[in-house]
Amino acid sequence: MQVQSMHFKQTASGKLNDAVLQGAMKKAKGKFVDGRALGVAEVDNWEDIRTYAAELRNRVIDNLDAYLLEFERNAIRRGAKVHWAETAEEANAIVLGIAQQNGVKTVTKSKSMVTEEIALNDVLIAAGIHVMETDLGEYILQLAHEPPSHIVAPAMHKSKEQVAELFAAAHHKPLLTDIGELTREAREQLRSHFLAADMGISGANFIVAETGTTLTVTNEGNADLVTTVPRIHCVVTGIEKVIPTLEDFATLIRLLPRSAIGQSIVNYLTLTTGVKSPDETDGPEQMHVVLVDAGRTKLVGSDMKDMLRCIRCGACMNHCPVYQNVGGHAYGWVYPGPMGSVLTPTYVGIENAGDLPNAATFCGECQVVCPVKIPLPDLMRKWRERQFDQRLRPFGERFVMSVWAFFIQRPRLYAFASRIGVRVAVWMGGKDKLIHSLPGIDGWTDGRDMPAPQGRTFRELYAARKGGQ
């Protein structure tokens, strides 16, 4: 997927005026936020599980090489072939090579953010291979020629009417309006592709070191058909997805669906371990696992390593007031929301990430709901500091920050300037005590009025109270 993150401001402004998107985001907010709250309330020791999961993920990242090698040994022992890809280009070349060596003509896919990240579909299609997304949301987006806007609900930005029009045009059938009928029609269209596919490609929510197993969770069961029906199964996953044992998965799966959409359990859990044995009728003849680095090892041991704990639930974006208003496409790359504001500059370079580290109110809700306690606001702040240090922010912004830094380091001067600033702001507020336009941050006051300060400054109140004591 081509990076468009540098255009965040312009894209976000357009999304704020998109009535269909705003309606969809309003519905999703209630579903995701309220659903998670109910799901979490079912678990008495939720915070204990979060703490354990964060420690588990930290232990994995600190010993990433050892767990990956253990996974490789056990996967090979069960008949799988493990490939290592340092870059996106290497990963694409490996998958394409497997397809071409086996004469693959058609591929079915289960949802995989890593394949979105490396733009695998484009490579396969360019080589003449027919690729069919089988997750309902991904299938809708494939028809619309759009990227996902959410990592667990990729088509959440679309209305039912828009989906109906897409299906009618693509399937050459009468326009439907009932969601159940639309879903049934998609299932009928996909069925023949499941049966005809030469190769199935899936991602993995986790890979298990002790057994060489890959794990995928879905609500539609399409991963079961993608991984077992074709003669070749190819798993494309990031190296950070490894966990030590199946017992560890039993812990993490208590967090994942509840954090994602408030479900106590997932509908389908697909575990794949090696190829089918001679006495088995189901399963692939070949299984390939492509372990993708693509910038992940740069995080190990860095001040951004906490991000490697991410289990891709999407809770941070569901609760982010910025994401709730502009949707995922505004972020301009695969990973939207607070997680994207950290991952995108990490993977594509801070010079290409534009305003993403600043696309946050710093309310801290993303950190509060993260099931593995990733300090997302702190990580975004670090990216802001780097943008400032590397002079990647506009001159006016850097000038204002430099002036503020000058005053904040001189308390008496800061107190004097604050008193003057407050008096000016009170004067600008006028009789209605609202500032309608503030020079320098017109973009902020274009959409809202700023309440004028009332009364004395904090320092004046503090000094008065301290004097009274």
Side-chain angles (χ1 to χ4, degrees):
M1 179 177 172
Q2 188 175 4
V3 181
Q4 298 291 330
S5 301
M6 64 289 289
H7 306 305
F8 175 81
K9 270 190 177 179
Q10 299 92 317
T11 312
S13 296
K15 298 300 180 185
L16 289 172
N17 296 315
D18 184 334
V20 175
L21 174 70
Q22 292 301 314
M25 298 305 294
K26 189 175 181 180
K27 289 180 183 176
K29 177 184 176 182
K31 179 181 178 182
F32 289 141
V33 174
D34 297 344
R36 177 193 172 275
L38 292 172
V40 169
E42 296 174 345
V43 184
D44 294 334
N45 57 342
W46 179 258
E47 287 304 315
D48 292 338
I49 299 175
R50 284 182 73 209
T51 300
Y52 177 84
E55 292 172 351
L56 166 66
R57 295 294 292 153
N58 279 339
R59 177 158 53 91
V60 168
I61 301 308
D62 290 341
N63 300 279
L64 191 59
D65 53 347
Y67 286 119
L68 286 170
L69 291 174
E70 182 182 355
F71 170 81
E72 182 184 41
R73 285 196 302 273
N74 289 316
I76 291 174
R77 186 168 58 83
R78 297 299 299 267
K81 186 171 183 179
V82 178
H83 309 261
W84 300 81
E86 185 175 352
T87 65
E89 291 75 18
E90 285 184 15
N92 286 331
I94 290 168
V95 178
L96 179 61
I98 294 167
Q100 291 178 330
Q101 290 163 16
N102 289 278
V104 170
K105 301 296 182 186
T106 60
V107 166
T108 48
K109 283 187 66 202
S110 178
K111 185 170 178 289
S112 163
M113 295 309 295
V114 175
T115 60
E116 295 283 350
E117 184 183 321
I118 64 177
L120 176 62
N121 284 13
D122 295 341
V123 173
L124 295 178
I125 292 170
I129 297 172
H130 180 68
V131 179
M132 179 59 67
E133 295 283 354
T134 63
D135 174 271
L136 179 58
E138 291 285 341
Y139 175 65
I140 292 169
L141 296 182
Q142 188 174 26
L143 296 180
H145 305 290
E146 294 179 13
S149 67
H150 192 286
I151 62 172
V152 297
M156 64 173 287
H157 59 285
K158 289 208 164 294
S159 66
K160 178 184 68 175
E161 290 74 21
Q162 289 176 325
V163 175
E165 291 174 3
L166 275 173
F167 279 14
H171 302 160
H172 306 292
K173 290 190 173 183
L175 188 73
L176 299 174
T177 55
D178 179 75
I179 291 178
E181 292 179 350
L182 287 167
T183 305
R184 189 176 303 110
E185 184 172 295
R187 186 182 297 121
E188 291 170 356
Q189 292 291 324
L190 289 172
R191 188 167 296 146
S192 60
H193 294 284
F194 282 123
L195 297 174
D198 303 304
M199 182 163 79
I201 297 177
S202 70
N205 291 91
F206 301 103
I207 59 175
V208 183
E210 70 168 353
T211 59
T213 300
T214 68
L215 289 150
T216 307
V217 296
T218 66
N219 277 325
E220 300 153 16
N222 56 310
D224 287 9
L225 297 172
V226 166
T227 58
T228 58
V229 176
R231 56 191 170 90
I232 304 167
H233 175 209
C234 186
V235 183
V236 185
T237 184
I239 57 175
E240 82 282 13
K241 297 292 186 67
V242 67
I243 57 175
T245 66
L246 285 171
E247 189 174 0
D248 294 321
F249 172 71
T251 299
L252 293 170
I253 198 62
R254 299 188 73 189
L255 299 173
L256 180 58
R258 285 185 172 88
S259 299
I261 51 177
Q263 283 181 301
S264 302
I265 58 172
V266 294
N267 290 345
Y268 294 91
L269 179 56
T270 305
L271 292 81
T272 53
T273 308
V275 298
K276 70 176 181 179
S277 58
D279 59 340
E280 291 177 326
T281 55
D282 295 327
E285 298 167 5
Q286 296 181 38
M287 180 178 180
H288 299 265
V289 182
V290 183
L291 299 174
V292 182
D293 181 344
R296 288 160 172 78
T297 51
K298 288 191 301 184
L299 302 185
V300 178
S302 76
D303 58 356
M304 293 284 171
K305 72 173 185 179
D306 289 334
M307 201 61 221
L308 289 172
R309 292 205 299 267
C310 182
I311 59 173
R312 305 292 194 266
C313 66
C316 60
M317 60 186 69
N318 295 340
H319 291 74
C320 175
V322 176
Y323 180 90
Q324 288 169 354
N325 283 280
V326 302
H329 285 167
Y331 291 80
W333 201 52
V334 181
Y335 302 109
M339 64 176 296
S341 295
V342 177
L343 283 176
T344 302
T346 301
Y347 289 162
V348 306
I350 185 64
E351 66 279 7
N352 297 314
D355 290 294
L356 292 196
N358 298 276
T361 62
F362 273 15
C363 62
E365 190 70 4
C366 52
Q367 181 174 341
V368 170
V369 299
C370 177
V372 287
K373 297 188 173 182
I374 299 173
L376 288 157
D378 289 345
L379 300 182
M380 281 186 274
R381 187 178 294 110
K382 289 175 181 175
W383 277 124
R384 292 184 183 189
E385 292 170 358
R386 292 178 189 178
Q387 282 186 320
F388 184 86
D389 293 341
Q390 296 176 26
R391 296 177 175 269
L392 295 174
R393 300 303 301 165
F395 171 78
E397 182 179 317
R398 287 187 284 117
F399 175 75
V400 169
M401 292 301 294
S402 298
V403 170
W404 182 81
F406 174 83
F407 279 98
I408 199 69
Q409 295 176 72
R410 294 165 177 80
R412 291 180 183 275
L413 188 58
Y414 181 81
F416 174 75
S418 297
R419 286 198 298 273
I420 298 298
V422 167
R423 285 0 174 224
V424 171
V426 170
W427 171 76
M428 293 177 66
K431 293 182 179 178
D432 58 0
K433 299 180 180 179
L434 291 173
I435 300 174
H436 305 296
S437 177
L438 199 58
I441 55 172
D442 291 339
W444 195 87
T445 51
D446 280 349
R448 60 186 75 79
D449 294 327
M450 178 177 174
Q454 297 183 34
R456 292 177 291 177
T457 67
F458 172 79
R459 284 171 172 271
E460 290 171 334
L461 291 170
Y462 182 77
R465 178 168 296 186
K466 192 175 180 182
Q469 291 177 345

